[in-house]
Short mmCIF file of all heavy atoms in Angstrom, two decimals:
data_model
loop_
_atom_site.label_atom_id
_atom_site.label_comp_id
_atom_site.label_asym_id
_atom_site.label_seq_id
_atom_site.Cartn_x
_atom_site.Cartn_y
_atom_site.Cartn_z
N LEU Z 395 -6.66 -6.25 -27.79
CA LEU Z 395 -5.34 -6.87 -27.88
C LEU Z 395 -5.28 -7.76 -29.11
O LEU Z 395 -6.25 -8.43 -29.47
CB LEU Z 395 -5.06 -7.71 -26.63
CG LEU Z 395 -4.74 -6.96 -25.33
CD1 LEU Z 395 -4.65 -7.95 -24.18
CD2 LEU Z 395 -3.44 -6.18 -25.47
N GLY Z 396 -4.15 -7.76 -29.76
CA GLY Z 396 -3.98 -8.60 -30.95
C GLY Z 396 -2.52 -8.66 -31.34
O GLY Z 396 -1.66 -8.09 -30.68
N TYR Z 397 -2.25 -9.38 -32.42
CA TYR Z 397 -0.87 -9.51 -32.90
C TYR Z 397 -0.89 -9.93 -34.36
O TYR Z 397 -1.88 -10.46 -34.88
CB TYR Z 397 -0.10 -10.52 -32.05
CG TYR Z 397 -0.76 -11.88 -31.95
CD1 TYR Z 397 -0.50 -12.89 -32.89
CD2 TYR Z 397 -1.64 -12.17 -30.91
CE1 TYR Z 397 -1.11 -14.12 -32.79
CE2 TYR Z 397 -2.24 -13.40 -30.80
CZ TYR Z 397 -1.97 -14.38 -31.74
OH TYR Z 397 -2.58 -15.60 -31.65
N ASP Z 398 0.21 -9.65 -35.02
CA ASP Z 398 0.41 -10.06 -36.41
C ASP Z 398 1.36 -11.24 -36.46
O ASP Z 398 2.27 -11.37 -35.64
CB ASP Z 398 0.99 -8.91 -37.24
CG ASP Z 398 0.05 -7.71 -37.31
OD1 ASP Z 398 -1.17 -7.94 -37.43
OD2 ASP Z 398 0.55 -6.57 -37.25
N TRP Z 399 1.16 -12.09 -37.45
CA TRP Z 399 2.09 -13.21 -37.65
C TRP Z 399 3.34 -12.72 -38.35
O TRP Z 399 3.28 -11.81 -39.19
CB TRP Z 399 1.42 -14.32 -38.47
CG TRP Z 399 0.57 -15.19 -37.60
CD1 TRP Z 399 -0.69 -14.93 -37.15
CD2 TRP Z 399 0.97 -16.43 -37.01
NE1 TRP Z 399 -1.12 -15.94 -36.33
CE2 TRP Z 399 -0.13 -16.89 -36.23
CE3 TRP Z 399 2.12 -17.22 -37.08
CZ2 TRP Z 399 -0.09 -18.08 -35.52
CZ3 TRP Z 399 2.16 -18.41 -36.38
CH2 TRP Z 399 1.07 -18.84 -35.60
N PRO Z 400 4.50 -13.28 -38.00
CA PRO Z 400 5.74 -12.87 -38.66
C PRO Z 400 5.64 -13.02 -40.18
O PRO Z 400 5.09 -14.01 -40.69
CB PRO Z 400 6.79 -13.83 -38.07
CG PRO Z 400 6.22 -14.23 -36.75
CD PRO Z 400 4.73 -14.29 -36.95
N GLU Z 401 6.15 -12.03 -40.89
CA GLU Z 401 6.07 -12.05 -42.35
C GLU Z 401 6.85 -13.20 -42.97
O GLU Z 401 6.54 -13.64 -44.07
CB GLU Z 401 6.58 -10.72 -42.91
CG GLU Z 401 5.69 -9.53 -42.53
CD GLU Z 401 6.22 -8.22 -43.10
OE1 GLU Z 401 7.28 -8.26 -43.77
OE2 GLU Z 401 5.58 -7.17 -42.88
N ASP Z 402 7.88 -13.69 -42.26
CA ASP Z 402 8.69 -14.77 -42.83
C ASP Z 402 8.11 -16.16 -42.55
O ASP Z 402 8.74 -17.17 -42.83
CB ASP Z 402 10.12 -14.71 -42.30
CG ASP Z 402 10.20 -14.87 -40.78
OD1 ASP Z 402 9.15 -15.05 -40.13
OD2 ASP Z 402 11.33 -14.80 -40.24
N GLY Z 403 6.91 -16.19 -41.97
CA GLY Z 403 6.27 -17.48 -41.72
C GLY Z 403 6.69 -18.15 -40.43
O GLY Z 403 6.26 -19.27 -40.13
N ALA Z 404 7.51 -17.48 -39.63
CA ALA Z 404 7.95 -18.07 -38.36
C ALA Z 404 6.79 -18.16 -37.38
O ALA Z 404 5.74 -17.53 -37.55
CB ALA Z 404 9.08 -17.23 -37.77
N LEU Z 405 6.98 -18.95 -36.36
CA LEU Z 405 5.96 -19.15 -35.35
C LEU Z 405 5.76 -17.88 -34.53
O LEU Z 405 6.73 -17.22 -34.13
CB LEU Z 405 6.39 -20.31 -34.43
CG LEU Z 405 5.41 -20.76 -33.34
CD1 LEU Z 405 4.08 -21.20 -33.94
CD2 LEU Z 405 6.05 -21.91 -32.55
N SER Z 406 4.50 -17.52 -34.27
CA SER Z 406 4.20 -16.32 -33.48
C SER Z 406 4.30 -16.64 -31.99
O SER Z 406 3.62 -17.55 -31.50
CB SER Z 406 2.79 -15.84 -33.80
OG SER Z 406 2.32 -14.96 -32.79
N PRO Z 407 5.11 -15.89 -31.23
CA PRO Z 407 5.20 -16.16 -29.80
C PRO Z 407 3.89 -15.88 -29.07
O PRO Z 407 3.56 -16.58 -28.10
CB PRO Z 407 6.31 -15.21 -29.34
CG PRO Z 407 6.39 -14.15 -30.38
CD PRO Z 407 6.03 -14.82 -31.66
N GLN Z 408 3.16 -14.87 -29.52
CA GLN Z 408 1.89 -14.58 -28.87
C GLN Z 408 0.91 -15.74 -29.03
O GLN Z 408 0.18 -16.08 -28.10
CB GLN Z 408 1.27 -13.30 -29.45
CG GLN Z 408 2.12 -12.05 -29.24
CD GLN Z 408 2.94 -11.71 -30.47
OE1 GLN Z 408 3.48 -12.60 -31.13
NE2 GLN Z 408 3.04 -10.41 -30.79
N TYR Z 409 0.91 -16.35 -30.22
CA TYR Z 409 0.03 -17.49 -30.46
C TYR Z 409 0.38 -18.65 -29.54
O TYR Z 409 -0.51 -19.31 -28.98
CB TYR Z 409 0.13 -17.92 -31.93
CG TYR Z 409 -0.72 -19.14 -32.25
CD1 TYR Z 409 -2.10 -19.02 -32.45
CD2 TYR Z 409 -0.15 -20.40 -32.36
CE1 TYR Z 409 -2.87 -20.13 -32.73
CE2 TYR Z 409 -0.91 -21.52 -32.66
CZ TYR Z 409 -2.28 -21.38 -32.83
OH TYR Z 409 -3.06 -22.49 -33.12
N VAL Z 410 1.67 -18.90 -29.38
CA VAL Z 410 2.12 -19.99 -28.51
C VAL Z 410 1.57 -19.78 -27.10
O VAL Z 410 1.00 -20.70 -26.48
CB VAL Z 410 3.66 -20.07 -28.48
CG1 VAL Z 410 4.13 -21.00 -27.36
CG2 VAL Z 410 4.19 -20.53 -29.82
#
Side-chain angles (χ1 to χ4, degrees):
L395 286 173
Y397 54 89
D398 297 321
W399 278 80
E401 294 180 359
D402 61 1
L405 184 58
S406 162
Q408 298 98 320
Y409 178 78
V410 169

